[in-house]
Amino acid sequence: MEKVHSRSVGDWLVMVLAVVVLVFGLLITAGGAWLATLGGSWYYLPAGVGLLVTGWLLLQRSMTAVWVYLAVFAGTVFWAFWEAGMNGWAQVPRLVAFFFR
């Protein structure tokens, strides 16, 4: 008799997180591509791609997803301070969203 593998609650939560990250990744990638064509910041395009990679790796149950996300987050922090300096209000739209993904 073949053994059926049931998924745990943790498996389902990781899949839900992966889908959420993929949706945000698609939105940020598309918006970043559009912004780049308008002559704006190119940062959102690679950040969105980084989130897409993170979501895909989460679906694969790979711990590499954590490292990719941390690299995208570190890049975001670096970019935000490079672009807006120490202006706290200017950092809000650049950094707050990353804390709530």
Side-chain angles (χ1 to χ4, degrees):
M1 186 180 267
E2 186 177 327
K3 184 176 180 182
V4 177
H5 295 283
S6 63
R7 295 195 185 270
S8 69
V9 173
D11 288 333
W12 287 107
L13 291 175
V14 170
M15 285 181 18
V16 168
L17 177 63
V19 169
V20 169
V21 172
L22 285 167
V23 168
F24 276 106
L26 283 171
L27 293 171
I28 292 172
T29 300
W34 179 250
L35 185 61
T37 62
L38 296 175
S41 175
W42 277 79
Y43 179 73
Y44 295 98
L45 185 59
V49 171
L51 290 178
L52 290 174
V53 171
T54 298
W56 183 80
L57 288 168
L58 281 172
L59 287 175
Q60 305 303 311
R61 309 286 191 280
S62 173
M63 282 301 293
T64 306
V66 174
W67 296 108
V68 173
Y69 186 82
L70 287 174
V72 173
F73 179 75
T76 299
V77 171
F78 176 79
W79 165 76
F81 282 100
W82 173 75
E83 185 170 270
M86 296 300 289
N87 181 342
W89 286 111
Q91 295 301 346
V92 170
R94 291 168 178 83
L95 296 177
V96 170
F98 248 96
F99 288 105
F100 292 104
R101 275 191 221 148

